[in-house]
Amino acid sequence: MMSDFHTLHILNKTPDHPRFSECLGMSSSDDALLLTENGVLALTTSRVLGDRTVYALKSDLTARAIDTHQSNVGAIDYQGMVELSLKAKRVICW
Amino acid sequence: METLIVIDQAPYGSFAGREALDMAFSLAAFDQPASLLFTGAGVHWLRKGQAPDSIHQKSVEKNLSAAPIFGIEQLLVDSASCERFGLTVDDLPDGITLIDGNADMIGRYQNVLFAG
Amino acid sequence: MTTSNLPARNNEGFLEDAFAWSREIAEVIAREGDIELSEKHWEIIRFLREFYKQHEISPPSNRLFVKAVREALGEEKGNSIYLMQLFPGTPAKTACRIAGLPRPTNCL
């Protein structure tokens, strides 16, 4: 499930937060994006994330009733989050 | 593995920056190198003469002055943001380094954490 | 002065107002933990009072308490064994409680 990437961007802001667009502006196609907390709400706004590799934290999805069945988003737990962080050459928490 | 903690919000409006400062101190406590970058409205952290007892809060200016004692590596401030908010070199406390806090600069750190 | 007429404290015995502190209050709080204050204790207490006046925070953890004491008073006093002997339990908490400072944020 976890493909190779350079930087892991951990994003916990909604798409209307300034940091959300800063994050997208600084991430490239070599990077992976992990949505946590209110960041998972980005999945309800179509195509805002482009063709990035996207993961989302399962507990935050469940809490907010966000469904990922139709998308390419990898739903992961905290264990998966740790694995992603260790795999990344760089981690940015937005 | 150095961590850069970015504070881009003004002090006193929320606890975001204080929590980040606390995290920086915790990293330093375990000898993990950590630096702080003040950018955007975060530069207001660096104003001299803050007296927030008027709003029943502790002074982030004074809190920040403990950073060298606790072993924080560097206190950095984005020069463009200083200019935008009318702060000159003379207005800044001692031990602050003016830099160009752009994406390249931030990208040189292996761990980056934005406050709040 | 006894425990019953100290200024307001929180549920862990820390003064609500660091500036309501006095040496006499320190002695009462110390006695609650069976500590008889010596000149060695007072040196650390004076350091903490001064630290708080300058930085408006308590050293957040034991490690940072030790680090700050080391910076100010040197290796001989800025080490955990020395501070543990003077302020048993969690040294940062015990010392801050006696010195009238707020509870260190990162001590369990």
Side-chain angles (χ1 to χ4, degrees), chain A residues 13 17 19 22 26 89-94, chain B residues 8-9 107 109-116:
Chain A
K13 306 290 187 294
H17 194 287
R19 204 107 28 85
E22 279 177 56
M26 217 176 126
K89 295 182 182 65
R90 186 175 71 183
V91 179
I92 303 184
C93 297
W94 293 90
Chain B
D8 64 356
Q9 295 173 64
Y109 290 80
Q110 207 178 346
N111 275 313
V112 182
L113 184 112
F114 283 79

Side-chain angles (χ1 to χ4, degrees), chain A residues 4 8-9 11 15-16 20-22 26 31 38 41-42 49 58 60 63-67 79 82 84 89:
Chain A
D4 271 327
L8 176 66
H9 298 267
L11 180 57
D16 58 337
F20 191 94
S21 34
E22 279 177 56
M26 217 176 126
D31 296 347
N38 279 342
L41 296 170
L49 299 171
K58 232 180 257 173
D60 285 318
R64 293 166 182 78
I66 309 295
D67 190 1
Q79 177 66 34
V82 172
L84 275 182
K89 295 182 182 65

Side-chain angles (χ1 to χ4, degrees), chain C residues 78-99:
Chain C
N79 72 75
S80 49
I81 295 169
Y82 181 82
L83 293 169
M84 180 78 88
Q85 282 165 346
L86 290 178
F87 301 100
T90 307
K93 275 176 75 172
T94 308
C96 285
R97 192 186 287 115
I98 295 171

Side-chain angles (χ1 to χ4, degrees), chain A residues 47-52 54:
Chain A
R47 304 225 50 79
V48 62
L49 299 171
D51 56 359
R52 293 173 174 77
V54 180

Side-chain angles (χ1 to χ4, degrees), chain C residues 38-84:
Chain C
S38 68
E39 180 44 37
K40 287 180 177 176
H41 294 92
W42 286 115
E43 182 183 29
I44 303 297
I45 293 168
R46 275 195 304 273
F47 161 74
L48 279 174
R49 298 290 308 170
E50 189 52 36
F51 186 91
Y52 189 72
K53 222 192 300 172
Q54 277 180 35
H55 305 300
E56 292 193 354
I57 69 173
S58 298
S61 63
N62 272 327
R63 279 169 168 268
L64 292 173
F65 175 43
V66 171
K67 214 166 187 167
V69 173
R70 192 188 308 139
E71 284 271 320
L73 304 172
E75 200 74 53
E76 193 191 319
K77 288 157 186 165
N79 72 75
S80 49
I81 295 169
Y82 181 82
L83 293 169
M84 180 78 88

